[in-house]
Amino acid sequence: MYKWLSVLSMVVAVQAAAEPVIIPAGEYKPAVLLDETVEVVVMPAFKLDAAPVTYAQYLDFVLENSKWRRDNIAAIFHDGNYLKSWSVNDQVPAGYESKPVTEVSWFAARAYCDAQGGRLPTLDEWEYASNYYLQQHGLSDKAYAQMLFARHSNPTAYSKQEVDTTIGQLDYMHNRVNEWVEDYQLLLTNGDNNDLLAGSCGDSARFMADFGDASYATFFRYQSRSNYRPQSTTSTLGFRCAYDLEK
Amino acid sequence: MKTFIKSAVASALLVSFAGLPVIAEANVPLKHDSEYVIDGKIYGMPKAKIYRDDYNGPAVVGDYVTMVPHLAKLDYKGNKEHEVRMDVFSQKVEVAPGVSYNAWTFGGSVPGPVLHVREGDRVVFKMKNRSTEEVVITKPFKGASPYFDQIAANQLQKHQPVVAPMPHSMDFHSGTVAANDKWATIAPGETIEFEWIANYAGTYMYHCGTSSVLMHTAMGQYGAVVVSPKEGYPTDKEVDQEYVIVQSEMYLEQMGEDYIYDHSAALARDPSHVVFNGHVSALSENPLKSNAGDRVRIHFLNAGPSGTSSFHVIGAIFDKVWAEGDPRNTWYGMQTVLLGASSSATVEFIVPEEGVYKLVDHEFADAERGAAGALYAGPRKK
Amino acid sequence: MKNLMLALSVVLFSSGVAIAQDHSQHNHHDHMNHTTFKAEPVNKEHSIYHLDGEWQAHTGESLTLANFQGQPIVISMIYGSCTTACPVLVNDARRIFEALPDAYKGEVKLVMVSFDQDRDTPAALAEYAAKYNLGDDVWTFLHGDDNNIRALATLLGVRYRKRADGDFDHSNLVTVLDVHGRVVERVEGLNRPVEEAVNALVKIIDENHLLHR
């Protein structure tokens, strides 16, 4: 039974094994100013998964890396709710194969990407890719902000939708799950006092490039994620992996 | 040293009680080594604790915790230590007929529960971030809090559990503490525990202070704490009815069949709804009750997040108004009370005769968007 | 000669303190210096030795953190080209060590982990250790890759960020780990009192009967 299931999951994974997308080099202007001085960030090219990692893909990882199985994971790497909705240690919930995997901690997400020869994208890489995606799709700031606020308003409705990992172009940046990034903590380098306030209780204007809806939507993604612990797992937080270009 | 401080408190209490009819029992209120007393008020609370526990009991705990417009009676003398819990989680609530949204809440309602304490009381507060859970508040919990019975009796908001994982925090304006410690943001699954002393009498806002604070409050994370004065208000014996009203703005836009938060409207202070007690019909479906000749007291909080309120009772004049609910701030004979965001007033008026008294935000753009309700007055009883 | 070295290092370290303090008052106007991040709270219940990444010591030896199991360690994160806070952190670890009762000194290791994958090679760290006259029997300087550095920093609650100029903004934190690799004491800031860290180390050594093995 289990053997048959894992064969099935491998079939799914083979289907899903589309190449990561190349995000070309360029410049981007962060919506959130972590530094007083840096306004335009120069980004080298890198590769990024086209879609968030799915349950089927994550199951393969768990089957091959037993220390990341639900019953084996070290307590220091999660908050007690790792893969909570899996009723069995080596089987994803029925019908979840093509949904973005959630209930994974930052440590687990990193381990997954490491096993694929990749890594979690940095915050800059993820946001730069997001801008690239918005340009590719011609999405206006307003449409982008509305999409993101809609997800913030009802994240579960989005996180439970499937993704197609075979389409070969960057997708699902804003309408599935919030995603882990390598340096997810909000690191404000423009001074000790700023760092202490860390964008709490109305203290956000100083970190905003402008006060448009789009910037707020982006800020909100940064800020809400930065309050998670690296052990945090939730049903609406997933990830995708980044890869260096071959040198 | 600690003995000295305690005796200093005792003498401060004696002085403040001199000549007043209701004498509270003089508890020794200091509890932690870190605490100290200035002007009879206690400061220096111990550090907040943040931890994980598997708590899945009632989301609201406290004998003096109610749903708006109710206020629990303080049936004890002197000061007391309150164990209070208000878990934070998401809940679908209706704010106008056919308009529901996934609110972020304390305790499951918008506004959140009302906490009633006495000046000088200590609150030991716990809050678990249960935004990853479906939390049901519409079934009764034995011995949890009067709040649940009142929710069960009033289903106007049509509460339904929703999962919306999000970091949150709690900021009690009634507490005097270091905000970076006590009002710290906690991740889903975490519990924060801290203490505060109700050092000042008045009606205070509480809210989530996690950024974007505009979004967190507009999503529904606010409520009222009523701190009754140690020696009471001078009219305590004559008051027949005592209610709590919380005014707030909603910034919602329709998206498909759902309503979602509209950030540009929130920034532009252009609310879709302005409501008393969380629903355009809260005080018309369930009007406040009184009788002709009653002295009615309302603790009115304008929670904002960004608008002002000009509270007025059509057909009545406020006999007394205590700005922010502090009995030292007395105004007389006011038609309207202007309140900024997170400001409150405790108002009293005589109900002149049998009839219906409209309660409005006299900024009529707000009244037209929902900030209206009613007080029914039956025949005179005396 | 040894006294001279000590005196020199005192001068060096105290000037480091002065620079760091000066920086904290003027960092809005001085982007050459790094910014101090407040450390994150951490899990103290579980061992950080679950991290199984490979590190290279300044001696050239390869190891995992679990190699330090069985004795308490004082651990901090620095980078070699840092001239402000980092020498103070190294000195803070040394101050903790020197305040230990002599009999206990043999039971404690001082571990300095570099943020800087590119510049702090094992050889560069060996040079650093030699320059500061830090003996191999007590001190271990670790070089790792970015992946392992980030994971360790996160478990220690050290926040850091690489700047465009190649330097690092980071938390200033010295941590005491018990024999199992659990966090028992954290000293945040520079040039802080060492008593609590020393007491924690003595307690660990006593409770595990390390002196009478």
Side-chain angles (χ1 to χ4, degrees):
Chain A
M1 173 71 181
Y2 283 163
K3 202 170 177 185
W4 179 82
L5 275 169
S6 56
V7 170
L8 178 71
S9 72
M10 282 180 70
V11 172
V12 174
V14 168
Q15 277 183 337
E19 279 297 296
V21 180
I22 293 175
I23 311 294
E27 289 184 341
Y28 102 108
K29 202 176 167 191
V32 179
L33 306 174
L34 300 181
D35 303 89
E36 267 177 358
T37 46
V38 180
E39 280 184 10
V40 173
V41 178
V42 178
M43 299 295 298
F46 63 100
K47 289 193 289 185
L48 189 64
D49 285 342
V53 173
T54 63
Y55 276 85
Q57 291 170 328
Y58 198 78
L59 174 63
D60 284 349
F61 164 69
V62 167
L63 293 175
E64 282 166 26
N65 299 273
S66 63
K67 73 174 266 201
W68 295 99
R69 265 169 49 150
R70 200 178 61 142
D71 55 339
N72 279 351
I73 185 173
I76 199 161
F77 295 141
H78 73 120
D79 64 4
N81 293 325
Y82 175 65
L83 305 182
K84 191 185 179 187
S85 59
W86 297 32
S87 51
V88 183
N89 292 322
D90 47 9
Q91 196 180 324
V92 307
Y96 273 52
E97 286 78 4
S98 298
K99 297 178 197 286
V101 69
T102 59
E103 301 174 332
V104 285
S105 66
W106 178 84
F107 291 107
R110 294 177 93 238
Y112 174 94
C113 292
D114 193 41
Q116 318 305 313
R119 52 185 173 74
L120 280 179
T122 64
L123 192 145
D124 275 338
E125 284 174 337
W126 201 98
E127 294 297 335
Y128 174 61
S130 160
N131 280 11
Y132 175 72
Y133 169 85
L134 296 177
Q135 281 164 17
Q136 267 192 327
H137 291 260
L139 273 172
S140 69
D141 279 0
K142 185 171 173 55
Y144 160 70
Q146 201 178 39
M147 181 158 61
L148 212 45
F149 278 117
R151 198 189 78 205
H152 290 320
S153 292
N154 193 5
T156 306
Y158 292 82
S159 65
K160 293 287 184 278
Q161 292 179 40
E162 298 192 342
V163 298
D164 178 355
T165 48
T166 62
I167 54 171
Q169 60 171 329
L170 189 63
D171 209 344
Y172 312 112
M173 294 295 282
H174 309 294
N175 56 3
R176 289 298 182 272
V177 287
N178 200 355
E179 298 179 16
W180 283 116
V181 294
E182 175 74 355
D183 46 347
Y184 74 95
Q185 289 162 334
L186 190 63
L187 297 174
L188 305 165
T189 65
N190 50 8
D192 290 7
N193 291 333
N194 290 354
D195 186 49
L196 279 174
L197 290 168
S200 72
C201 210
D203 173 48
S204 56
R206 289 178 296 148
F207 314 128
M208 307 287 294
D210 61 69
F211 299 154
D213 283 11
S215 294
Y216 265 104
T218 300
F219 175 78
F220 199 70
R221 172 172 61 233
Y222 278 58
Q223 171 62 28
S224 57
R225 188 180 49 206
S226 75
N227 285 126
Y228 288 121
R229 313 290 174 209
Q231 288 88 359
S232 290
T233 65
T234 79
S235 57
T236 57
L237 184 60
F239 68 100
R240 70 180 78 203
C241 306
Y243 312 82
D244 294 332
L245 287 181
E246 288 82 5
K247 283 165 190 166
Chain B
M1 184 56 192
K2 192 155 183 198
T3 316
F4 169 75
I5 291 172
K6 280 175 185 167
S7 62
V9 183
S11 53
L13 292 175
L14 283 175
V15 169
S16 64
F17 290 151
L20 286 161
V22 183
I23 304 290
E25 287 154 15
N27 297 344
V28 176
L30 291 191
K31 181 176 167 189
H32 303 284
D33 288 343
S34 58
E35 292 172 4
Y36 54 92
V37 175
I38 296 175
D39 296 344
K41 302 184 192 313
I42 300 174
Y43 299 95
M45 296 291 107
K47 292 261 186 209
K49 290 176 227 160
I50 296 177
Y51 54 89
R52 297 194 156 269
D53 77 359
D54 295 332
Y55 182 83
N56 58 3
V60 176
V61 175
D63 295 340
Y64 304 91
V65 182
T66 53
M67 175 191 176
V68 284
H70 307 288
L71 186 69
K73 286 262 177 292
L74 298 185
D75 55 2
Y76 55 93
K77 287 191 169 174
N79 285 126
K80 183 177 161 55
E81 180 173 307
H82 298 260
E83 299 230 336
V84 175
R85 170 186 287 273
M86 288 185 204
D87 289 339
V88 59
F89 52 94
S90 195
Q91 196 87 175
K92 188 168 187 177
V93 301
E94 184 184 284
V95 298
V99 180
S100 293
Y101 78 109
N102 291 337
W104 298 342
T105 74
F106 295 109
S109 62
V110 180
V114 179
L115 169 63
H116 193 191
V117 300
R118 182 172 286 129
E119 181 186 353
D121 282 357
R122 180 184 297 268
V123 175
V124 180
F125 179 73
K126 283 184 194 170
M127 175 177 86
K128 182 176 182 183
N129 183 337
R130 295 168 74 176
S131 59
T132 49
E133 297 172 42
E134 290 196 346
V135 182
V136 175
I137 62 162
T138 45
K139 66 173 190 194
F141 291 93
K142 283 230 156 55
S145 162
Y147 171 77
F148 287 104
D149 291 335
Q150 291 155 353
I151 289 277
N154 179 350
Q155 293 285 322
L156 193 62
Q157 286 191 330
K158 303 186 174 108
H159 303 94
Q160 289 173 43
V162 170
V163 172
M166 183 60 59
H168 293 296
S169 59
M170 173 59 100
D171 169 348
F172 283 107
H173 287 193
S174 47
T176 43
V177 297
N180 60 312
D181 178 46
K182 310 297 186 290
W183 310 158
T185 295
I186 55 170
E190 290 183 327
T191 296
I192 189 166
E193 181 178 339
F194 56 77
E195 298 184 19
W196 52 273
I197 304 285
N199 274 329
Y200 287 83
T203 295
Y204 292 93
M205 183 174 175
Y206 65 78
H207 65 95
C208 178
T210 301
S211 204
S212 149
V213 69
L214 174 58
M215 180 170 179
H216 278 266
T217 48
M219 288 290 277
Q221 294 191 279
Y222 46 81
V225 175
V226 176
V227 181
S228 281
K230 207 168 250 174
E231 303 88 12
Y233 295 99
T235 52
D236 276 356
K237 285 191 170 163
E238 295 102 76
V239 166
D240 298 290
Q241 320 289 345
E242 192 165 4
Y243 293 111
V244 179
I245 299 177
V246 177
Q247 176 173 333
S248 59
E249 306 114 47
M250 301 283 169
Y251 300 94
L252 300 173
E253 63 176 329
Q254 194 163 11
M255 198 174 169
E257 302 208 331
D258 298 327
Y259 284 82
I260 66 164
Y261 168 68
D262 180 348
H263 191 77
S264 47
L267 275 182
R269 306 173 194 227
D270 181 18
S272 56
H273 307 80
V274 183
V275 290
F276 290 157
N277 290 352
H279 195 291
V280 296
S281 310
L283 295 180
S284 49
E285 287 280 325
N286 301 292
L288 305 182
K289 301 272 173 49
S290 67
N291 287 295
D294 277 0
R295 184 182 295 265
V296 173
R297 178 184 292 167
I298 296 175
H299 303 278
F300 190 98
L301 170 71
N302 177 33
S306 301
T308 53
S309 170
S310 297
F311 183 57
H312 173 77
V313 177
I314 299 175
I317 292 170
F318 298 140
D319 182 62
K320 291 188 184 63
V321 173
W322 291 289
E324 299 286 358
D326 188 320
R328 295 172 298 182
N329 307 333
T330 315
W331 290 331
Y332 301 94
M334 295 185 76
Q335 57 194 304
T336 295
V337 179
L338 173 60
L339 299 172
S342 99
S343 260
S344 74
T346 294
V347 302
E348 280 183 11
F349 54 95
I350 307 297
V351 178
E353 55 199 40
E354 189 175 348
V356 180
Y357 296 85
K358 283 280 178 65
L359 317 170
V360 294
D361 178 350
H362 217 284
E363 297 171 36
F364 281 150
D366 291 346
E368 299 280 357
R369 293 183 210 203
L375 176 130
Y376 277 12
R380 180 155 170 81
K381 278 189 167 173
K382 288 168 188 170
Chain C
M1 181 56 194
K2 200 169 183 185
N3 284 345
L4 179 63
M5 277 299 290
L6 195 63
L8 273 174
S9 65
V10 166
V11 169
L12 181 66
F13 287 132
S14 44
S15 66
V17 174
I19 291 166
Q21 285 173 343
D22 185 51
H23 146 72
S24 74
Q25 285 157 10
H26 297 286
N27 54 23
H28 275 268
H29 310 291
D30 186 356
H31 300 292
M32 294 306 289
N33 280 328
H34 75 264
T35 297
T36 304
F37 290 133
K38 194 168 178 292
E40 283 281 311
V42 291
N43 182 315
K44 294 185 174 182
E45 284 170 55
H46 304 291
S47 171
I48 71 165
Y49 294 160
H50 285 290
L51 289 178
D52 54 6
E54 286 246 323
W55 302 82
Q56 281 76 48
H58 69 287
T59 54
E61 180 195 2
S62 273
L63 51 86
T64 64
L65 294 172
N67 283 35
F68 295 109
Q69 205 150 341
Q71 85 224 309
I73 68 168
V74 176
I75 187 166
S76 188
M77 298 187 76
I78 59 158
Y79 64 102
S81 44
C82 161
T83 52
T84 52
C86 304
V88 186
L89 284 170
V90 174
N91 194 44
D92 284 347
R94 185 213 297 269
R95 285 169 51 230
I96 292 170
F97 183 79
E98 283 174 355
L100 282 166
D102 281 342
Y104 288 74
K105 285 181 176 162
E107 305 302 329
V108 175
K109 293 264 186 260
L110 309 178
V111 181
M112 298 287 126
V113 185
S114 171
F115 293 112
D116 196 339
Q117 169 189 265
D118 299 329
R119 291 184 294 188
D120 286 344
T121 59
L125 290 173
E127 228 170 86
Y128 188 93
K131 188 170 75 179
Y132 285 87
N133 200 21
L134 305 167
D136 293 351
D137 47 341
V138 176
W139 294 85
T140 307
F141 285 75
L142 291 183
H143 160 88
D145 65 22
D146 284 339
N147 189 357
N148 291 329
I149 294 165
R150 177 67 68 185
L152 175 62
T154 304
L155 284 182
L156 291 174
V158 171
R159 296 161 69 213
Y160 74 97
R161 186 168 179 234
K162 189 173 186 174
R163 300 181 64 98
D165 60 11
D167 284 343
F168 292 81
D169 299 318
H170 58 92
S171 310
N172 294 321
L173 190 72
V174 178
T175 303
V176 174
L177 301 182
D178 72 6
V179 296
H180 305 293
R182 291 178 302 212
V183 173
V184 290
E185 190 65 42
R186 307 171 83 207
V187 185
E188 183 165 6
L190 297 174
N191 218 5
R192 308 294 302 163
V194 298
E195 285 73 20
E196 291 190 2
V198 169
N199 292 343
L201 287 164
V202 167
K203 195 171 162 216
I204 295 164
I205 290 166
D206 287 345
E207 282 177 355
N208 290 281
H209 312 293
L210 298 185
L211 292 183
H212 310 292
R213 280 186 293 192

